[in-house]
Amino acid sequence: MLRDFVMTQKPEQEEIRSLLQIEREKLIANQLKVKDSKLPVMVIFEGWGSSGKGGVIGRVIKNIDPRFFKVRSMDTPTPEERRYPFMHRYFQYIPEAGRFVFFDRCWMEEVISQHMSGNLSKAEYRRRMRSITTTERSLTDNGYLVMKFFLHISKKTQHKRLEALQNDEQNRWRVDEDDLRENENYDEYLEAYGRYLTNTNSPSSPWYIIDATSRKWTELQVLQFLNQGIETALANSAYAHPILQNTFPLKRMPRLADVVLEGKQLDNDEYQERLDELQDELKQLHHEVYRLQIPVIIAYEGWDAAGKGGNIKRITSAMDCRGYEVHPIASPEPHEKARHFLWRFWTRLPKAGHIAIFDRTWYGRVMVERIEGFCTENDWKRAYNEMNEFERELNEWGAVIIKFWVQIDNKTQLERFTDRQETPEKQWKITDEDWRNREKWDAYEQAVDEMILKTSTTFAPWHILESNDKRYARIKALEIVIKALREAVEKVDEG
Amino acid sequence: MLRDFVMTQKPEQEEIRSLLQIEREKLIANQLKVKDSKLPVMVIFEGWGSSGKGGVIGRVIKNIDPRFFKVRSMDTPTPEERRYPFMHRYFQYIPEAGRFVFFDRCWMEEVISQHMSGNLSKAEYRRRMRSITTTERSLTDNGYLVMKFFLHISKKTQHKRLEALQNDEQNRWRVDEDDLRENENYDEYLEAYGRYLTNTNSPSSPWYIIDATSRKWTELQVLQFLNQGIETALANSAYAHPILQNTFPLKRMPRLADVVLEGKQLDNDEYQERLDELQDELKQLHHEVYRLQIPVIIAYEGWDAAGKGGNIKRITSAMDCRGYEVHPIASPEPHEKARHFLWRFWTRLPKAGHIAIFDRTWYGRVMVERIEGFCTENDWKRAYNEMNEFERELNEWGAVIIKFWVQIDNKTQLERFTDRQETPEKQWKITDEDWRNREKWDAYEQAVDEMILKTSTTFAPWHILESNDKRYARIKALEIVIKALREAVEKVDEG
């Protein structure tokens, strides 16, 4: 793709000047339309060292109101960033609806530079490529415009530019080892860049190769494609994306109606004894997890009044409070709603060695958002796959993922609701909304069954906690967490 | 992709039966919506030998009105089919709007089977893959629903089925060499199929892998995905597709305003003498072209009354009438309008060794259709690339492609129109529409300039025939055709 690219279409200087004027004015008009129609625009600049990425971003943003854009310069990941999944430091910066984010280098650069310096095995390279295509597709599927520019210059041009910089005392610092290595091994890099472009050239987020031999001409090409991309995206307000096959390996799970609740109970003495034992054990394991830098994610979903809060407390009270965080998930804030639905979870991930507990999760997409119509049918139908992909990313990063569905029966919920209603110190726990949701029990049960069926992957299956007796559910949760952490610790210790 | 696929989600027999009933009824309803909303649906079945492709097609179509679908079984290409480009025999069968076409094997099978038998070089394999991804993208970009199913069975299951067929006198004929070779070399085929699926798994036409271990379960999966695909596609009536970069190598061309017409003329004696010489030469070359099986495509566009017809006649009168065909292209018939805009040109391609002359061409998309609004802005803006891709297919097949723009000035057109109007035997040549088009001269000139700029690829550039003097234009056309054919003949003779 890159090797065949021909840089011959450059117009005369004067024409470039007059076309630039037209495109700049178009962008000034388009930014307002982007804002009004709440389109999130992610503009990625990749390319050779010294091809002028920073410069062209500087010129493009002159046409955009500073309140509407951010520029993100992505350098080599820091040690802190390395404690998160590969995609984390990029995903946190995705634009919100109606805004632009310009990336000066992005995930391509990171993968290629690691690949070229021999720090990625073939399997890791393939996994990275899959992360990237999956993320780009998930962004465009969720309404993002993703514009990808590769700034291209010849070996000779790059050499000349690097030499000029090195001979200039003020700019010498701009040339680093990587640039020089790139120029020396231009042909190998050309091959690697070209293959990358071909493999990530998707119809929904295609590559635009920019002949970056001169400044104004570079700017013109970028502006033309950017304006055209915005105009095309603005025309597509409600596109329903094809729903991909859920090809993940799945565990077979029971329907909620088939979950036996009777008899799943513990008397108080039995409970207290087991609880003490298990909490001691978990305490020890928490240190191990920290020492081995294993990230842990524990996700809770369940019926209102099923006992999620108390269950979580029995987990956290066994742990060092510096090593875990509980994230109560309510309906999204405006700045969260303005981004990809997984953004508020990406930004709440634990770093390696830490534990994040989610009290309600990303699965809201296929429960409350589905049932209340907060997203389109196409959105929630796509989401099973998107969430499996998200969890696969976490799993491949090395995370332990434990998902709990806290199950009670309809009758038990009614008893607990009534008790809350009638007990003054519990009244804050029950709202009209809880009663309204209760009326939709059947719709929720259907949604939960579908969720458990489609997202119980072998690497992140659901566990059902029978919680008509809360003590039983707490002990079971502790046992599952301990088992999963122990396995992870043993695996890392061996490997 | 294929290796990781897990076949574990099969429901119980009884559930399959009841779900099947639901999906069949859905398809019966969906076919009517497909018809009403004029959605063209292309359903491709690929997969292992004996995986039951024919059988599942047979069961799916039971739910569709026979007037609304066709089934195409694609076998090894015949010698006749080999005289056309690789994609020709598939493209001719694409469905029209509101109809289904089911392919029992398609381009995947042809490529993999040639690849596995060592009959495709690496470069040819890559070219085929590009043809396929390009074609699939062009179909979905032009409003097609393309559903791709891969029927998957294990080595053991395949072996068992092949054995059972061989032991059954009535069905023995169903097992061929290819099936046996596939089973013997199952792992290599798995690798090749898997790589193919990954490389062609586009967001706009994703693969669906079907666990084909049992008949009813296979049917259920196919129906579920098919119904879901149709429902998603029906939701997208007016999606504007991203406009891809036109990365083809282009020749620099003048604008029409800069084409010098004055002085480009010949006196009659000079003309007659040159004409005789050139026609003799062309006659000889035509035999060579036939002998060497070179396909030739000559495309004419130009202003009304520019002299296209007379020009074409001077070419054809030098040739054996069994070796060429002239295709006058008017506005598309209903059955043509109901398909991809390039379909009526794909089906008019010459076979190798023959010459096709198009009097007006596929470029109508970016001229009359653009100006008269017969297609959307998104359609004609995408078309430059789509036409370059089409011509690249032809070029890589080995075709000589010659594109003429027959140029006159505004004043000359007026003189010729007036002459036609006033000369009784020429009056049939001039219509009100010609006069109406003439009023849009400026809009056409702009469209033609853009067309020539964006589609003068190095392998199929435009040639401008200055035709204020028709004799000059005819001689120039003959010279260009002769030069192009001579070069092609020499190249084939050498190679």
Side-chain angles (χ1 to χ4, degrees):
Chain A
M1 172 161 184
L2 195 55
R3 215 178 268 279
D4 300 337
F5 181 71
V6 199
M7 311 204 224
T8 60
Q9 301 171 46
K10 187 176 159 192
E12 304 298 325
Q13 281 303 327
E14 205 166 320
E15 202 185 340
I16 290 182
R17 242 190 306 272
S18 78
L19 290 172
L20 259 180
Q21 204 41 46
I22 296 174
E23 294 298 332
R24 286 175 185 154
E25 280 161 23
K26 262 196 205 168
L27 183 54
I28 290 170
N30 278 335
Q31 66 172 314
L32 295 174
K33 294 185 202 154
V34 161
K35 176 172 162 271
D36 289 344
S37 55
K38 299 193 192 300
L39 178 70
V41 184
M42 182 159 174
V43 191
I44 295 174
F45 284 88
E46 301 276 9
W48 297 93
S50 267
S51 59
K53 293 181 286 291
V56 71
I57 293 176
R59 286 186 295 281
V60 168
I61 58 175
K62 279 193 188 150
N63 309 296
I64 309 181
D65 185 321
R67 291 167 302 171
F68 297 167
F69 72 84
K70 295 236 182 300
V71 177
R72 298 294 177 186
S73 240
M74 304 306 289
D75 221 316
T76 318
T78 62
E80 173 73 10
E81 286 172 333
R82 281 181 215 277
R83 291 184 69 177
Y84 289 98
F86 164 68
M87 200 40 89
H88 177 262
R89 67 193 195 110
Y90 302 104
F91 209 91
Q92 67 180 316
Y93 291 140
I94 60 171
E96 61 181 304
R99 298 286 186 276
F100 294 78
V101 172
F102 293 87
F103 282 84
D104 181 358
R105 308 197 150 185
C106 195
W107 41 62
M108 173 182 184
E109 169 65 21
E110 185 178 338
V111 167
I112 296 289
S113 98
Q114 288 190 29
H115 170 63
M116 292 304 279
S117 54
N119 293 329
L120 277 184
S121 71
K122 261 196 164 180
E124 284 165 330
Y125 178 81
R126 268 201 301 269
R127 266 205 297 278
R128 290 274 192 277
M129 293 302 288
R130 195 181 55 187
S131 294
I132 290 168
T133 50
T134 300
T135 302
E136 292 181 355
R137 199 216 66 237
S138 183
L139 286 168
T140 54
D141 273 4
N142 282 279
Y144 277 68
L145 171 60
V146 179
M147 297 290 296
K148 303 184 297 196
F149 295 108
F150 184 89
L151 269 54
H152 189 31
I153 49 176
S154 68
K155 180 173 185 171
K156 225 171 100 188
T157 303
Q158 190 186 33
H159 188 76
K160 253 196 273 176
R161 289 189 186 173
L162 291 174
E163 219 169 37
L165 287 173
Q166 282 178 305
N167 292 335
D168 172 358
E169 238 172 87
Q170 293 223 304
N171 282 307
R172 198 166 294 162
W173 62 273
R174 289 176 183 272
V175 180
D176 66 13
E177 282 302 308
D178 283 348
D179 295 332
L180 296 174
R181 196 173 40 237
E182 203 185 57
N183 191 251
E184 265 164 45
N185 306 291
Y186 186 93
D187 281 346
E188 288 98 273
Y189 274 88
L190 185 73
E191 177 63 29
Y193 285 142
R195 203 173 46 235
Y196 179 101
L197 295 183
T198 303
N199 291 339
T200 56
N201 193 36
S202 142
S204 49
S205 58
W207 276 102
Y208 297 96
I209 303 171
I210 304 297
D211 167 3
T213 43
S214 86
R215 278 208 313 198
K216 284 210 160 65
W217 173 222
T218 301
E219 182 187 351
L220 175 58
Q221 296 166 80
V222 167
L223 285 176
Q224 283 177 333
F225 288 126
L226 182 57
N227 278 317
Q228 178 193 283
I230 292 171
E231 286 156 19
T232 309
L234 288 174
N236 299 319
S237 49
Y239 178 60
H241 296 267
I243 294 166
L244 303 184
Q245 185 176 14
N246 193 2
T247 48
F248 290 87
L250 297 180
K251 259 188 74 172
R252 208 179 269 287
M253 297 291 292
R255 305 201 172 191
L256 290 188
D258 298 330
V259 172
V260 179
L261 294 168
E262 292 74 44
K264 307 276 175 77
Q265 59 199 55
L266 291 174
D267 70 40
N268 205 35
D269 291 351
E270 212 177 338
Y271 167 66
Q272 280 304 340
E273 193 181 329
R274 250 341 247 143
L275 185 67
D276 290 348
E277 278 170 31
L278 292 169
Q279 288 190 328
D280 275 353
E281 209 174 338
L282 180 56
K283 195 170 183 163
Q284 293 307 315
L285 271 170
H286 189 202
H287 292 307
E288 293 295 291
V289 159
Y290 184 76
R291 184 177 63 84
L292 297 171
Q293 301 255 46
I294 301 171
V296 180
I297 291 148
I298 307 178
Y300 276 86
E301 292 284 357
W303 297 105
D304 288 331
K308 284 192 298 297
N311 201 302
I312 290 173
K313 240 182 261 163
R314 298 320 181 281
I315 304 273
T316 55
S317 62
M319 299 193 296
D320 184 325
C321 64
R322 289 162 301 183
Y324 75 86
E325 195 169 356
V326 177
H327 300 286
I329 301 298
S331 38
E333 303 284 320
H335 76 286
E336 294 171 330
K337 216 184 292 185
R339 288 181 174 86
H340 190 290
F341 80 99
L342 289 173
W343 182 78
R344 60 186 181 134
F345 304 103
W346 269 103
T347 53
R348 283 174 169 89
L349 290 181
K351 54 183 156 186
H354 283 244
I355 298 182
I357 300 179
F358 290 90
D359 183 354
R360 300 201 186 275
T361 69
W362 42 100
Y363 285 96
R365 188 71 158 186
V366 293
M367 295 197 292
V368 58
E369 292 190 44
R370 164 182 177 172
I371 286 169
E372 301 294 340
F374 295 153
C375 65
T376 68
E377 185 176 331
N378 189 253
D379 284 334
W380 65 258
K381 283 195 169 169
R382 278 194 335 266
Y384 300 107
N385 216 23
E386 291 167 342
M387 296 188 298
N388 286 341
E389 288 172 343
F390 172 54
E391 292 169 16
R392 180 175 59 191
E393 288 290 305
L394 302 180
N395 172 253
E396 290 185 346
W397 167 47
V400 176
I401 308 161
I402 303 166
K403 301 188 306 202
F404 288 126
W405 174 260
V406 190
Q407 172 67 359
I408 51 174
D409 56 29
N410 191 298
K411 192 172 130 267
T412 303
Q413 189 188 53
L414 182 60
E415 283 164 12
R416 293 188 187 166
F417 274 18
T418 314
D419 176 50
R420 286 179 178 186
Q421 198 89 315
E422 292 167 357
T423 316
E425 67 273 24
K426 290 186 187 167
Q427 269 165 14
W428 63 275
K429 276 187 160 189
I430 182 97
T431 67
D432 288 353
E433 208 191 320
D434 294 332
W435 288 106
R436 275 198 302 276
N437 285 341
R438 188 176 151 73
E439 279 168 30
K440 296 177 188 162
W441 181 285
D442 290 346
Y444 272 98
E445 181 162 332
Q446 195 190 350
V448 173
D449 277 336
E450 188 169 355
M451 168 185 93
I452 290 178
L453 178 77
K454 293 186 171 172
T455 61
S456 283
T457 55
T458 49
F459 51 85
W462 284 96
H463 299 275
I464 292 173
L465 301 178
E466 296 86 346
S467 192
N468 270 9
D469 175 32
K470 289 178 185 178
R471 288 176 296 214
Y472 180 93
R474 290 169 190 166
I475 296 300
K476 182 168 178 184
L478 275 163
E479 287 171 341
I480 290 170
V481 170
I482 286 168
K483 181 161 177 281
L485 296 191
R486 185 173 305 292
E487 282 171 4
V489 164
E490 279 166 6
K491 210 172 121 197
V492 175
D493 257 346
E494 281 166 17
Chain B
M1 174 160 183
L2 195 55
R3 212 178 272 276
D4 301 337
F5 181 72
V6 199
M7 310 202 224
T8 60
Q9 303 171 46
K10 189 176 160 189
E12 305 298 324
Q13 281 303 327
E14 203 167 319
E15 201 185 344
I16 291 182
R17 243 190 306 273
S18 79
L19 290 172
L20 258 179
Q21 204 41 46
I22 296 174
E23 294 298 331
R24 284 174 185 153
E25 280 162 23
K26 263 196 203 168
L27 183 55
I28 290 171
N30 278 334
Q31 68 171 312
L32 296 173
K33 295 185 202 155
V34 161
K35 175 170 163 274
D36 289 344
S37 54
K38 299 192 193 303
L39 179 70
V41 184
M42 182 158 174
V43 190
I44 295 175
F45 284 88
E46 301 276 10
W48 297 93
S50 266
S51 59
K53 293 181 285 290
V56 71
I57 294 176
R59 286 185 296 280
V60 168
I61 58 175
K62 277 192 189 151
N63 309 297
I64 309 180
D65 185 322
R67 291 167 301 172
F68 298 165
F69 73 85
K70 296 237 179 301
V71 177
R72 299 293 178 187
S73 240
M74 305 306 290
D75 221 317
T76 318
T78 63
E80 174 74 8
E81 285 173 334
R82 282 181 213 276
R83 291 184 68 177
Y84 289 98
F86 163 68
M87 199 42 87
H88 177 262
R89 70 194 194 109
Y90 302 105
F91 209 92
Q92 67 181 314
Y93 291 140
I94 59 172
E96 61 180 303
R99 298 285 187 277
F100 294 77
V101 173
F102 293 87
F103 282 85
D104 181 358
R105 308 199 151 184
C106 195
W107 38 63
M108 173 180 183
E109 168 66 19
E110 185 178 337
V111 167
I112 296 288
S113 100
Q114 287 191 30
H115 169 63
M116 293 304 279
S117 55
N119 292 329
L120 276 186
S121 70
K122 261 197 163 180
E124 283 165 330
Y125 178 80
R126 268 201 301 269
R127 266 206 297 278
R128 290 274 191 278
M129 293 302 287
R130 194 180 56 187
S131 294
I132 289 169
T133 51
T134 300
T135 302
E136 292 181 355
R137 200 217 64 237
S138 184
L139 286 167
T140 54
D141 273 3
N142 282 279
Y144 277 69
L145 171 60
V146 179
M147 297 291 296
K148 305 185 297 195
F149 296 108
F150 184 88
L151 270 54
H152 190 30
I153 48 176
S154 68
K155 181 171 185 174
K156 224 170 102 189
T157 304
Q158 189 186 33
H159 188 77
K160 253 197 274 175
R161 291 191 187 171
L162 291 174
E163 219 169 39
L165 287 173
Q166 281 178 308
N167 292 337
D168 171 1
E169 235 171 272
Q170 292 221 307
N171 282 307
R172 196 166 295 163
W173 62 275
R174 288 174 182 274
V175 179
D176 66 14
E177 282 302 308
D178 283 347
D179 295 332
L180 296 173
R181 195 172 41 235
E182 205 184 54
N183 191 249
E184 265 166 46
N185 306 289
Y186 187 90
D187 282 346
E188 287 98 275
Y189 274 88
L190 185 72
E191 176 65 29
Y193 284 143
R195 202 172 46 235
Y196 179 99
L197 295 183
T198 302
N199 290 338
T200 56
N201 192 35
S202 142
S204 49
S205 59
W207 275 102
Y208 297 96
I209 304 172
I210 304 297
D211 166 5
T213 42
S214 86
R215 276 207 317 198
K216 284 212 160 66
W217 171 223
T218 301
E219 182 187 352
L220 176 58
Q221 296 166 81
V222 167
L223 285 176
Q224 282 176 333
F225 288 126
L226 183 58
N227 279 318
Q228 176 194 283
I230 291 171
E231 286 156 19
T232 309
L234 288 173
N236 301 318
S237 49
Y239 178 60
H241 296 267
I243 293 165
L244 303 184
Q245 184 177 17
N246 193 1
T247 47
F248 291 88
L250 297 179
K251 260 187 75 172
R252 209 180 267 289
M253 297 290 291
R255 306 201 169 189
L256 290 188
D258 298 330
V259 172
V260 179
L261 294 167
E262 293 74 42
K264 307 278 175 78
Q265 59 199 57
L266 291 173
D267 72 36
N268 205 36
D269 290 354
E270 212 178 334
Y271 167 67
Q272 280 304 338
E273 195 182 322
R274 253 336 252 145
L275 185 67
D276 290 348
E277 279 171 30
L278 291 170
Q279 289 191 326
D280 275 355
E281 211 174 336
L282 180 56
K283 193 169 182 163
Q284 293 306 316
L285 271 170
H286 190 202
H287 292 307
E288 293 294 292
V289 159
Y290 184 77
R291 183 177 63 85
L292 298 171
Q293 301 254 49
I294 301 170
V296 180
I297 292 149
I298 307 179
Y300 276 86
E301 292 284 358
W303 298 105
D304 287 333
K308 283 192 298 296
N311 200 302
I312 291 171
K313 239 182 260 163
R314 299 322 182 278
I315 305 273
T316 56
S317 62
M319 299 192 298
D320 185 324
C321 65
R322 288 162 302 181
Y324 75 86
E325 195 169 354
V326 177
H327 301 285
I329 301 298
S331 37
E333 304 282 322
H335 76 287
E336 294 171 332
K337 216 183 294 187
R339 287 184 175 85
H340 189 291
F341 79 100
L342 289 173
W343 181 77
R344 60 187 181 135
F345 305 102
W346 270 103
T347 52
R348 283 175 170 88
L349 289 181
K351 56 182 153 187
H354 282 245
I355 298 182
I357 300 179
F358 291 89
D359 184 354
R360 302 198 184 275
T361 68
W362 42 99
Y363 286 95
R365 188 69 158 187
V366 293
M367 296 197 291
V368 57
E369 292 190 44
R370 163 183 178 170
I371 286 169
E372 302 293 341
F374 295 153
C375 65
T376 68
E377 186 177 328
N378 189 254
D379 284 335
W380 64 258
K381 283 195 168 168
R382 278 194 335 266
Y384 300 108
N385 215 24
E386 291 168 341
M387 296 187 299
N388 285 341
E389 287 171 344
F390 173 53
E391 291 169 16
R392 180 176 59 192
E393 287 290 304
L394 303 179
N395 171 255
E396 290 184 344
W397 168 46
V400 177
I401 308 160
I402 303 166
K403 302 190 304 205
F404 289 127
W405 174 261
V406 191
Q407 171 66 359
I408 52 173
D409 56 29
N410 190 299
K411 195 172 131 262
T412 303
Q413 189 189 52
L414 180 61
E415 284 165 13
R416 291 185 187 167
F417 273 19
T418 314
D419 176 52
R420 287 178 176 184
Q421 197 88 316
E422 289 166 1
T423 315
E425 67 273 26
K426 289 185 185 165
Q427 271 164 11
W428 63 274
K429 277 188 159 187
I430 181 94
T431 66
D432 289 352
E433 208 191 319
D434 294 331
W435 287 105
R436 275 196 301 277
N437 285 341
R438 188 177 151 70
E439 280 167 31
K440 297 179 187 161
W441 182 283
D442 289 345
Y444 271 99
E445 183 162 330
Q446 196 191 347
V448 173
D449 277 337
E450 187 169 355
M451 167 185 94
I452 290 178
L453 178 76
K454 294 186 170 172
T455 61
S456 281
T457 54
T458 49
F459 51 84
W462 285 95
H463 300 274
I464 292 174
L465 300 177
E466 298 87 346
S467 192
N468 269 9
D469 175 32
K470 292 178 181 176
R471 288 175 298 212
Y472 179 92
R474 290 168 190 166
I475 295 300
K476 183 170 176 182
L478 276 162
E479 287 172 343
I480 290 169
V481 170
I482 286 168
K483 182 161 175 280
L485 297 189
R486 185 173 306 292
E487 283 171 5
V489 164
E490 280 166 7
K491 209 172 120 195
V492 176
D493 258 346
E494 280 165 18

